[in-house]
Amino acid sequence: PKIKTLYGDFARKHHVPGVAYGVVVDGELVFAGGVGVQNIESRTPVTPDSVYRIASMSKSFAAMAVLKLRDDGKLHLDEPVVTYVPELANQVYPTRDSAPITVRHLLTMSAGLPQDDPWADRHLDFTPVQFSEVMAHGLAFSTPPNTRYEYSNLGYGILGRVITNVSGMPYQQYIRQNILVPLGMTSSTYDVHQVDPARLAMGYRRLGDQWVADPP
């Protein structure tokens, strides 16, 4: 009861439409529940089976996929990324002595690419061809590679292309087959259309004193 109260108080204090929560002890889910609604129009209550967006937490799965391919001997972290993504062959670096971008630089957000919020969020629907055109056109830099940390969604997009090219299958398929399914994460998907609408939690943003729907 105290845990339920804790999350209920949090949701009310921060005006959160709904929260799904779980308590894990020694690697085992021992308690799960929900507070509020997953859709303020239908008033569908949140349950432990509600499906939420995880946004940039998906980067953890991309990184895990890269490391699995490394462990399988299919790529090297300190190899220039152009080895795996030929669209970057004509990249112009910010200084004559810049180190080439490596897979490790992209993993650790040290490739020198500028923080790109909210630009990246507005281009999540790029086709593979459109993304290839972006890379072939040339990347922008804020610093030379391997000199500082700066959060880059584009960098992880490039890692997605590394996974695709090295594995020989779309990165979403590789991650599903090699990470999500083996872990039993059968509700996790890159395609919102694969989610049962009755389980889908709508995204919202706060505008004044109201919640405005933010569709996928």
Side-chain angles (χ1 to χ4, degrees):
K2 290 183 178 180
I3 292 175
K4 291 182 180 180
T5 299
L6 180 70
Y7 282 102
D9 291 345
F10 174 87
R12 285 186 292 273
K13 178 180 179 180
H14 297 281
H15 304 287
V16 178
V19 177
Y21 59 85
V23 179
V24 177
V25 178
D26 295 332
E28 180 180 355
L29 181 67
V30 297
F31 180 63
V35 170
V37 297
Q38 63 185 30
N39 187 306
I40 61 176
E41 293 184 355
S42 67
R43 307 304 297 176
T44 305
V46 172
T47 75
D49 291 323
S50 297
V51 179
Y52 281 83
R53 304 176 202 177
I54 67 169
S56 285
M57 284 186 280
S58 63
K59 290 181 173 68
S60 297
F61 296 98
M64 188 175 182
V66 170
L67 294 178
K68 179 169 175 51
L69 290 168
R70 184 275 312 271
D71 291 348
D72 292 340
K74 295 183 178 180
L75 62 77
H76 299 282
L77 299 187
D78 294 311
E79 186 76 16
V81 71
V82 67
T83 303
Y84 310 111
V85 184
E87 289 91 340
L88 298 171
N90 296 319
Q91 180 62 52
V92 177
Y93 285 92
T95 64
R96 286 181 294 178
D97 61 349
S98 291
I101 296 175
T102 66
V103 176
R104 189 186 300 274
H105 293 156
L106 294 173
L107 282 171
T108 57
M109 302 284 189
S110 59
L113 305 177
Q115 184 166 338
D116 48 13
D117 295 323
W119 175 88
D121 298 321
R122 295 171 181 159
H123 294 88
L124 290 173
D125 58 349
F126 265 2
T127 66
V129 171
Q130 288 174 314
F131 190 52
S132 292
E133 291 173 349
V134 168
M135 292 187 289
H137 182 71
L139 306 177
F141 288 87
S142 58
T143 61
N146 200 33
T147 58
R148 61 170 289 182
Y149 166 92
E150 192 162 358
Y151 192 89
S152 172
N153 292 289
L154 176 60
Y156 264 72
I158 296 172
L159 286 176
R161 181 59 60 89
V162 170
I163 296 166
T164 295
N165 290 349
V166 172
S167 70
M169 65 180 74
Y171 80 93
Q172 300 99 325
Q173 181 181 346
Y174 179 85
I175 289 173
R176 182 170 58 252
Q177 290 183 7
N178 292 277
I179 299 175
L180 300 181
V181 171
L183 289 174
M185 299 178 64
T186 56
S187 295
S188 298
T189 176
Y190 285 89
D191 185 357
V192 68
H193 299 98
Q194 295 179 357
V195 179
D196 180 355
R199 298 175 59 196
L200 182 63
M202 175 62 71
Y204 295 94
R205 56 186 174 87
R206 194 72 172 170
L207 188 62
D209 60 352
Q210 294 182 330
W211 286 107
V212 178
D214 187 14

